Amino acid sequence: MKHFSLLDLSPIPEGQTAADALRNTVGLAQAAEAAGYHRYWLAEHHNMPGIASAATPVVIGHVAGATKHMRLGAGGMMLPNHAPLVVAEQFGTLATLYPNRIDLGLGRAPGTDMETARALRRHMAPEDSFPTDVQELLHYFGDTSGARVRAIPGEGTEVPVWILGSSLYGAQLAAMLGLPYAFASHFAPDLLEEALYIYRNSFRPSGRLAAPYVVVAAGACAAETDEEAAFLRTSQMLAFARLRTGRPGKLPLPVDDIEAEVPAPVLAGVRQALGCSATGAPDTVKAQLAALIARHEPDELMVTGMIHDHAARIRSFQIVAEALKALQSERAAA
């Protein structure tokens, strides 16, 4: 594992506002930078009462201005929602303002419900143009000095582009295009191993990447004791259960008995979906993260987790960073 990084969905806790969530994101990013996280990604979601990062490039720019050296990026931008030229201009501008700090992860899903997707796109094409849209976007970041359509700012910035996915499609596309690949195992772990196998064994070197590079995403919730961590994690579990049953909302307060709040079949599905994770006291989290890394051998581990209390969330990611740095040191010494 070369690096460890953080994915922030900029959650809006119950009793708070989007403004609070965005302030929390800045505070968490600053703490993550101090703790040694390599990159900090934000994700595009729309029409979600509990997520404040809908205007993802705007939030990335805000966080970049409040930090010094950590890489910032999108994990991801949902490319079907946007014209490739617009995305190239947005991230080319970010890369011009913050050189060598900006990443662009691309997703194929809309990041919302279909009615909202129609509101975003206005005219939805029936065909899947994602592969050609990715290639068009890559073109805009290169040398387009002779082209009639250019991304200014954007051209020549060579912003690192990632393919994101939770299925085998993204693995195949990333391998074909010779791009780095990030798998969304923090909420959809079922196809993780097969996707990594396909990507690593089908990878074609490109001018952007000589060898496969994989990010595995994992949930993380750490505290001083196993019991406290399990309690804090119920906020995310309850939020996920409500989303799955058509009742999305702000990030709930933690509860003492999650089984009393969520029907057993739904809770079983939540636990399975969020199963690629580490929860507990420092030693517990370290052992669980070590097992994940040993099993999947990622080039980079990206952790994420939603905790209602901002201070507890910062502390959780600090504990996780300490565990991952220790694992890196132990592996280097072996």
Side-chain angles (χ1 to χ4, degrees):
M1 184 184 68
K2 299 178 179 70
H3 301 293
F4 59 89
S5 299
L6 196 158
L7 171 65
D8 176 18
L9 300 183
S10 203
I12 307 173
E14 285 183 350
Q16 298 185 38
T17 65
D20 296 318
L22 293 171
R23 279 192 293 271
N24 290 345
T25 280
V26 170
L28 179 60
Q30 291 170 331
E33 186 170 67
Y37 285 90
H38 177 62
R39 70 181 92 238
Y40 190 100
W41 280 3
L42 292 135
E44 178 187 354
H45 293 280
H46 298 280
N47 196 28
M48 298 284 284
I51 296 179
S53 56
T56 314
V58 178
V59 184
I60 291 170
H62 184 56
V63 174
T67 51
K68 296 178 181 178
H69 57 79
M70 182 172 58
R71 296 195 66 86
L72 282 304
M77 287 291 289
M78 302 299 106
L79 191 53
N81 295 340
H82 311 281
L85 176 61
V86 173
V87 177
E89 290 171 340
Q90 290 171 340
F91 281 80
T93 299
L94 287 168
T96 301
L97 292 169
Y98 304 101
N100 301 314
R101 292 188 62 198
I102 301 301
D103 300 323
L104 173 55
L106 299 175
R108 180 172 167 242
T112 186
D113 59 90
M114 292 312 297
E115 185 175 355
T116 306
R118 282 190 287 272
L120 284 164
R121 304 182 212 176
R122 293 297 182 186
H123 303 289
M124 294 179 67
E127 70 277 3
D128 180 7
S129 62
F130 184 67
T132 55
D133 286 349
V134 171
Q135 292 173 301
E136 181 183 347
L137 180 53
L138 292 170
H139 163 75
Y140 290 132
F141 285 139
D143 180 6
T144 58
S145 54
R148 298 195 54 181
V149 177
R150 300 157 62 188
I152 304 172
E155 66 175 6
T157 56
E158 300 292 354
V159 173
V161 172
W162 300 65
I163 299 297
L164 314 184
S166 58
S167 69
L168 306 183
Y169 181 96
Q172 294 165 341
L173 181 62
M176 181 185 74
L177 297 178
L179 296 175
Y181 178 56
F183 193 87
S185 35
H186 60 296
F187 73 87
D190 288 357
L191 296 175
L192 171 59
E193 292 187 5
E194 189 176 356
L196 296 188
Y197 177 84
I198 288 172
Y199 172 69
R200 287 167 170 156
N201 286 276
S202 305
F203 182 83
R204 300 176 185 175
S206 70
R208 284 178 165 260
L209 192 64
Y213 191 96
V214 167
V215 166
V216 170
C221 185
E224 303 309 321
T225 67
D226 288 348
E227 293 76 17
E228 182 185 0
F231 172 70
L232 293 173
R233 190 170 184 251
T234 60
S235 290
Q236 181 162 354
M237 296 175 71
L238 189 53
F240 202 78
R242 290 175 179 174
L243 178 64
R244 282 196 153 199
T245 54
R247 298 178 295 129
K250 293 184 176 182
L251 183 65
L253 286 160
V255 295
D256 290 319
D257 185 2
I258 188 71
E259 294 180 358
E261 302 285 338
V262 181
V266 176
L267 186 57
V270 169
R271 285 177 168 149
Q272 188 278 329
L274 302 181
C276 185
S277 61
T279 302
D283 287 346
T284 305
V285 163
K286 181 182 175 185
Q288 292 174 354
L289 291 171
L292 281 172
I293 293 166
R295 180 174 181 178
H296 302 297
E297 298 185 334
D299 298 291
E300 188 169 330
L301 186 71
M302 181 166 283
V303 293
T304 187
M306 295 193 286
I307 295 174
H308 188 277
D309 181 77
H310 180 54
R313 190 170 185 233
I314 286 179
R315 180 58 187 144
S316 174
F317 284 119
Q318 289 171 335
I319 292 171
V320 170
E322 291 162 6
L324 291 170
K325 283 188 280 191
L327 291 171
Q328 283 181 321
S329 298
E330 291 167 11
R331 184 157 188 169

